[in-house]
Amino acid sequence: MKPSKTLTMVLVLVVMLAGAVVTTAGVFPGHHRRGTRGFRLPGLKTFIELNLSDSQKSQVLNILEKYQRERQDTLDSLLEARKHLSTVTHAEEFNEDDVRKAYRKISSMEEELFVLRAKMMAELRAALNPEQIELLRERRAQRIQKMRDRLETSLQNRRK
């Protein structure tokens, strides 16, 4: 197999594995196992559409690997912190201070995940050329519009 095909396959597998890990964990910043938003990369389809060069594929793979362990550790800690919040919230004797501390801990972890994602995306954008960055922006605008359309449809259905 050619090195470029091997690198492409490794990149595809890493992106799929990262998505599977996050989905399996069921932990998304700001969403308590209900939503699917959070620490995500642009979709695999978008990465394929970028037509990355071999050097870009290598850079992207290195960036993804760089952040993978820290993201997973933070997600694991976040899951435990959410369990703790649930425990203190439903304790027989309500303790406001304990609830506030538990919530602050979760907020801090969600902030860390947000910053990690922002750093990773900045590094990924630096590896792309202007046309590829524009394609990412277009895909993001399309995703946002789809979400708005779904929300609008949902609100209209509730009013009926």
Side-chain angles (χ1 to χ4, degrees), residues 6-160:
T6 303
L7 190 56
T8 301
M9 293 303 296
V10 169
L11 178 63
V12 167
L13 289 173
V14 168
V15 170
M16 288 174 51
L17 179 62
V21 167
V22 171
T23 302
T24 302
V27 178
F28 304 98
H31 299 274
H32 303 276
R33 293 181 166 267
R34 282 181 244 136
T36 57
R37 294 183 188 112
F39 202 89
R40 277 206 219 168
L41 297 173
L44 179 59
K45 182 179 174 185
T46 302
F47 266 109
I48 292 170
E49 290 174 355
L50 291 177
N51 295 323
L52 299 173
S53 68
D54 289 342
S55 66
Q56 286 177 315
K57 290 174 189 172
S58 178
Q59 285 177 303
V60 166
L61 185 59
N62 288 337
I63 292 167
L64 293 174
E65 288 175 352
K66 176 182 171 182
Y67 288 98
Q68 182 178 7
R69 182 77 244 155
E70 190 173 356
R71 286 180 20 227
Q72 189 57 50
D73 290 346
T74 305
L75 284 170
D76 291 343
S77 297
L78 181 60
L79 181 59
E80 289 304 313
R82 285 190 174 157
K83 287 178 184 177
H84 177 67
L85 177 63
S86 179
T87 301
V88 298
T89 301
H90 297 97
E92 284 190 34
E93 274 191 52
F94 179 75
N95 184 325
E96 182 177 344
D97 192 46
D98 287 348
V99 172
R100 287 181 184 277
K101 285 179 186 175
Y103 189 81
R104 279 190 209 111
K105 186 174 182 180
I106 289 172
S107 295
S108 174
M109 289 177 190
E110 289 176 345
E111 176 185 12
E112 183 61 28
L113 284 171
F114 186 84
V115 170
L116 279 173
R117 182 181 187 282
K119 288 164 70 175
M120 183 178 68
M121 292 306 292
E123 287 185 37
L124 287 172
R125 277 192 300 275
L128 303 176
N129 65 39
E131 294 83 24
Q132 293 166 328
I133 292 171
E134 184 58 34
L135 180 61
L136 281 178
R137 285 186 181 133
E138 289 172 11
R139 295 300 181 256
R140 181 173 186 262
Q142 290 172 357
R143 283 192 313 271
I144 289 170
Q145 188 58 48
K146 279 176 132 177
M147 287 187 303
R148 286 181 179 155
D149 292 344
R150 281 192 302 254
L151 179 60
E152 187 175 306
T153 301
S154 175
L155 291 173
Q156 287 175 354
N157 289 339
R158 287 184 183 180
R159 290 180 188 148
K160 290 180 182 179

